Every structure is written in structure tokens, then in C-alpha cells.
Amino acid sequence: MKIEKVLELLEISVQDKDEASIDKWKRYYEGFDKDFHEYTKSIGTGKEKKMKRYSLGMAKIIAENWADVIYNPETSITVEDEANQEWLDETLERVDFTTNMNNLVEMYMALGTGGTNVYKDGNKPMIDFLYTNQIFPISYINNEVAEVLFISQYDKNTIYVTVHELNDNDTYRIRNKFIDIKDENNYEIKEMEGIEEEFNSPVKLFEIFKPAISNNINVGSSEGISIYANAIQELQAVDISFDSLVTESENGKMMIFLKEAMLQFGTDKNGNQTAPTINNSNGVFYVMEGDSVNDEGTFIKTHSPTLRIESLIEGLKYNMNLLARKCGLGDNYFSSNEGSIYTNTAQVVSTNSKFFKTRQKHLALAKANLVGIVKALYYQEFNKELEDVITVNFDDSIIHDKAEEKQGLMLELNQGLISDVYYYMKTMNLTRTEALAFKQQMQEDKGLEEEIDFESE
């Protein structure tokens, strides 16, 4: 697809994108950058050998970890009105919002930009979750995307285009187009039934997500950048350490060198010589020419080098934590125990930590986007603006120990310092209205149990 042809057909222009940087971030997200992971190594006598480094794929791990602490199944979105809450829960479940949102966070953390487009499919609102290669900003206001063009693949030869443009009265004009790609130079707008080709909306129906870090790759640009945009060298250091660890293990395998005189050959039923009877499927044996013995007077020589596994793992751990720190995950994010390295997910994060403060910045941007999505969904469903207060409750289990907090609240409840309604709100993540309803239901259930004559039953 040629974006120039699409823009020419729609008679619009878009902002330039740093395609070179995006492509580099994508290569590291995929775990292989040819410019780094392929190299040549001198093997002496003027000869070189092409080599390929092993990769831990840490760029994806970093993006995944950020996605899990920003939007996960413990995240909830609530509105004041009970009927509206029931509608919202059903809508978010229908579009598989939790899974798609977690994937979107991972992708915009990795590639710098992500987006959502709320549209109506029949009578129901739907959400397109879009990645950076599908997003083309038209204009910015105060560093935020004000107008945008979205492109997604509809079928093999057709793309679906949505344009969101600002009107003079701050409402939006939305244009939906299907474009047929006849060949690389022949693009035509295709008439399609079942879509509203153009309409106005008082509510913004799209959201653009990006990490809460300034763009220092192109200073002054409003484009989002990858969470590891400034940690490419740290990503490389991790892979060099991992490659050294694998190479050490490979080169350190025990080898058994045999003289040809040690080989025993058999014969088949026709009297032909068969292969030697040793089993070399694991590559342990190496046969040397000649019948003479080794310098030690033996036909067999064993090579079993001492491995530096522990020191290499320590080096790998050090580089992994440098990477985590550079990407905002804080110090000692990765831990080691008995020779293995793992994510230190059991730690409770201090509210004074660098990681906590960085996470709060990311959450602030994400919260504004999520509120915007709810408003867009409501408008597409009911053709009016939502008046309820929208609350986004992010998962805070990494900030405090939930079991310890619940125990503390129970102690305060027993001492009469808090009400049972407040206890339900805090331990069950309920609104005050929901907690009151829960209490009433529990009292009714308790009264019902007391009325039942179990002996007669």
C-alpha cells in the first residue's frame, strides 16, 4: 500500500512519521535486528565466519511487563448510574476489551503509538484497536493528536479508511471510505453498503495512546516513542551476555577424541562393512586419523572444560537490570536464585520508588484515553453524551499487599473504626452504591437462612 496514493485520493495531508526509528523498534520487538544480530568474526589466517547472536527478546518482555501493570484483568471502569454500569460491562465484555486493551498497551509501549476508533456495527458500538502502522496524524494541538487518519486492511485488495477532522465549532467530521487497490498506482474509492460514509459527532470517537515520555529522538516532535527507544544499547548488551552464556555452554560440552584403531566395524549379511558401533548422535565423539596412540599412551582422550556459568549469569542479570532501569521499571526488577533469572513480581513497590512515579505518569495518560473511549461508546450507542462521572480503577496490587491490607481493614472493622460498607468498598473494589446493595443482600440472605427449618427439610 502506498500512503501517498490514499492521501491523494482523499485530498488530505498527514504529519511526517519517523519510519526509520519505528522500524528499528519493531525489529527489536520481534527479537532480531540484522544490523546487530548478524556479524562476521575472524577465525584466523585471514578468514572470517558469519555469525548469528542468540536473543532473549527483551524488548517484547519490557513491553509486556508495562502492559501488565497498566491494564490487566484487575482494572475496572465504573460509572455512577447502575443501568449505565450494566450497559458498560456488557459492552466491554462483548468487544473483549481487557484482552485487546492489554495487547494495545504492549504495542504502543513497544512502537510508540497506538489508537482506538469507536464505530457502529449495525446497532451496536464496536472498537478498532490500531497500531502505529495504521495511524497517520493529520494535526496536533498541544502535543496531542487532534485529527487523524486510520487505515486497516479489509480484504486482500481493499483497505478501510476512517478520517477524523475538526469542524470550526470543535465537533468532528468523520469520513469512512473503502479503497480498492487495483495495482500499485491505481487506487479507487469503492462504494460499500452498510456504513455511514460521512457524519458529524460532538464527541471525539478516537483516542491516541503513547508512553508518557518526551520524544528526544526528534526533539520538538509530538510523535510517541518506544519505551525502550533510549535503551537500544542495553538491549544489545543483554543479548551479548545471553549469547556468551549459550556459547559457553555449547563450547564447554564434554568431547571424547578417539583414534581410528578404537573403532569397531561390523559386517552385514552380504559381508559389507557397516558403520562403527559407537553412538555419536549427541556429537560427543570425535574420531582422529591414525592408529597411533595419544601422547599419554591412550587411544581415548577426554576434554571436559570448566564452565563459567555462574559469572556469566551474574553479568546477564546485571545487564537485564540496567535495561529495566533505563525503561522505567526501577532497580533490581529482575532477580536471580540458584542460577536462574526471573521477574521479581513478588516485590511490593514503594510509593516513593522511581517505578511507581513513572507508572503514575503512564496511568494518567491512559486514564484520559479510557474515559474518552467510554464516552465514545455511549454516544454511538445512545446518540447522546454521557453525563455520569467515569472512574478508572487500576490494579494496585503491586503497590501494596492486598492480604495485609484486608487484614488491617478487618481489624479496624472489628474495633468499630470503619463501617462494613466501607470495608466492602475497599476489599471488593465496589462503589458506595454497590457496597450498600451488597450489604442489604447479605442481610436478606442471612434472614432467609434463619427462617429455614433444616430438620423438617
Side-chain angles (χ1 to χ4, degrees):
M1 182 201 73
K2 291 184 177 180
I3 183 61
E4 299 83 5
K5 292 293 181 182
V6 175
L7 300 178
E8 181 182 336
L9 200 59
L10 298 175
E11 297 181 343
I12 59 175
S13 60
V14 296
Q15 301 289 319
D16 291 335
K17 296 177 69 174
D18 186 359
E19 298 288 356
S21 293
I22 293 172
D23 186 56
K24 175 181 283 189
W25 303 332
K26 182 174 180 288
R27 294 197 302 270
Y28 277 90
Y29 179 74
E30 293 171 342
F32 180 79
D33 179 12
K34 187 175 181 180
D35 295 338
F36 171 72
H37 290 97
E38 286 187 357
Y39 65 102
T40 56
K41 179 180 180 181
S42 173
I43 56 175
T45 65
K47 296 182 180 180
E48 291 183 335
K49 181 181 179 181
K50 290 184 177 180
M51 306 290 290
K52 183 177 178 180
R53 284 191 177 93
Y54 287 91
S55 173
L56 267 182
M58 288 303 299
K60 177 170 172 58
I61 298 299
I62 293 294
E64 282 181 355
N65 278 269
W66 268 117
D68 289 343
V69 299
I70 290 177
Y71 201 98
N72 60 43
E74 298 300 316
T75 309
S76 64
I77 305 175
T78 60
V79 293
E80 291 178 304
D81 183 78
E82 186 176 343
N84 286 340
Q85 184 66 55
E86 186 177 345
W87 161 82
L88 178 61
D89 292 341
E90 185 276 331
T91 300
L92 295 181
E93 183 178 358
R94 176 167 51 81
V95 300
D96 196 10
F97 190 79
T98 297
T99 300
N100 286 314
M101 192 66 233
N102 181 265
N103 290 339
L104 183 67
V105 176
E106 179 180 330
M107 292 304 295
Y108 80 71
M109 280 293 179
L111 304 181
T113 307
T116 58
N117 177 40
V118 176
Y119 65 98
K120 183 172 285 189
D121 184 6
N123 295 322
K124 292 294 182 181
M126 295 294 294
I127 307 176
D128 267 342
F129 295 85
L130 303 143
Y131 304 146
T132 187
N133 62 314
Q134 301 170 291
I135 302 169
F136 300 88
I138 298 171
S139 68
Y140 291 91
I141 296 178
N142 295 329
N143 208 38
E144 298 297 327
V145 175
E147 301 173 295
V148 68
L149 163 70
F150 294 131
I151 298 179
S152 55
Q153 198 74 30
Y154 181 73
D155 58 33
K156 184 178 180 181
N157 299 312
T158 306
I159 56 175
Y160 175 54
V161 178
T162 302
V163 183
H164 296 259
E165 297 168 300
L166 273 172
N167 295 317
D168 293 336
N169 60 354
D170 291 333
T171 61
Y172 281 86
R173 178 173 72 129
I174 294 93
R175 291 188 285 160
N176 296 304
K177 302 291 182 184
F178 285 94
I179 297 177
D180 255 357
I181 303 177
K182 304 294 184 183
D183 55 54
E184 62 178 11
N185 294 311
N186 187 5
Y187 286 42
E188 293 181 0
I189 292 179
K190 182 179 182 180
E191 297 295 330
M192 295 287 288
E193 296 182 0
I195 67 164
E196 193 171 4
E197 292 195 8
E198 183 173 326
F199 64 95
N200 290 308
S201 171
V203 175
K204 187 173 73 167
L205 300 179
F206 73 91
E207 293 295 330
I208 300 298
F209 293 78
K210 58 183 180 180
I213 49 178
S214 297
N215 189 331
N216 68 318
I217 308 299
N218 295 292
V219 177
S221 170
S222 297
E223 269 193 282
I225 62 172
S226 170
I227 194 67
Y228 51 80
N230 290 284
I232 298 299
Q233 291 182 335
E234 284 78 2
L235 286 169
Q236 293 173 346
V238 168
D239 282 352
I240 289 173
S241 296
F242 180 59
D243 184 71
S244 298
L245 180 61
V246 175
T247 302
E248 177 84 0
S249 301
E250 180 69 24
N251 293 339
K253 289 195 303 185
M254 184 182 72
M255 294 291 295
I256 300 176
F257 298 90
L258 303 175
K259 288 294 186 177
E260 285 183 320
M262 286 294 298
L263 298 182
Q264 296 181 5
F265 294 88
T267 56
D268 59 21
K269 60 182 180 180
N270 297 320
N272 299 317
Q273 184 174 275
T274 60
T277 56
I278 64 170
N279 176 18
N280 198 26
S281 60
N282 57 7
V284 171
F285 295 99
Y286 185 89
V287 180
M288 298 182 294
E289 294 182 355
D291 294 334
S292 61
V293 296
N294 296 310
D295 295 339
E296 297 83 0
T298 64
F299 288 100
I300 301 176
K301 187 173 184 179
T302 302
H303 176 68
S304 182
T306 301
L307 300 181
R308 302 168 299 151
I309 298 299
E310 290 186 5
S311 60
L312 287 172
I313 287 179
E314 283 301 310
L316 176 59
K317 173 193 167 185
Y318 178 78
N319 284 323
M320 289 174 69
N321 279 319
L322 282 180
L323 171 65
R325 182 187 310 162
K326 198 70 171 285
C327 295
L329 290 170
D331 297 328
N332 300 316
Y333 188 78
F334 295 100
S335 298
S336 63
N337 184 27
E338 298 180 354
S340 62
I341 298 176
Y342 61 94
T343 303
N344 190 9
T345 54
Q347 65 183 351
V348 176
V349 178
S350 167
T351 55
N352 291 321
S353 69
K354 175 67 175 175
F355 170 55
F356 175 79
K357 289 177 169 57
T358 303
R359 178 177 180 260
Q360 292 303 100
K361 292 196 302 181
H362 292 304
L363 295 186
L365 287 185
K367 178 180 179 180
N369 293 132
L370 293 167
V371 169
I373 291 174
V374 174
K375 290 180 177 180
L377 287 168
Y378 189 86
Y379 178 78
Q380 287 286 55
E381 177 81 47
F382 302 105
N383 199 33
K384 62 180 180 179
E385 297 185 48
L386 178 62
E387 301 295 337
D388 284 5
V389 174
I390 303 168
T391 303
V392 181
N393 302 299
F394 293 103
D395 178 22
D396 61 355
S397 60
I398 63 168
I399 308 305
H400 61 267
D401 190 318
K402 284 188 173 182
E404 183 178 343
E405 182 192 37
K406 188 173 182 179
Q407 185 177 3
L409 289 168
M410 176 62 75
L411 181 62
E412 292 179 350
L413 177 63
N414 292 336
Q415 292 175 344
L417 299 176
I418 61 173
S419 68
D420 47 1
V421 171
Y422 182 81
Y423 176 80
Y424 297 146
M425 291 172 63
K426 287 296 183 180
T427 59
M428 302 173 66
N429 196 23
L430 302 177
T431 64
R432 182 171 180 81
T433 301
E434 291 171 336
L436 285 167
F438 179 78
K439 177 182 178 180
Q440 182 179 353
Q441 185 63 53
M442 291 300 98
Q443 290 175 335
E444 291 177 1
D445 290 349
K446 185 178 179 180
L448 180 62
E449 290 174 1
E450 292 173 350
E451 292 176 2
I452 296 176
D453 184 354
F454 287 97
E455 292 184 4
S456 61
E457 287 291 326

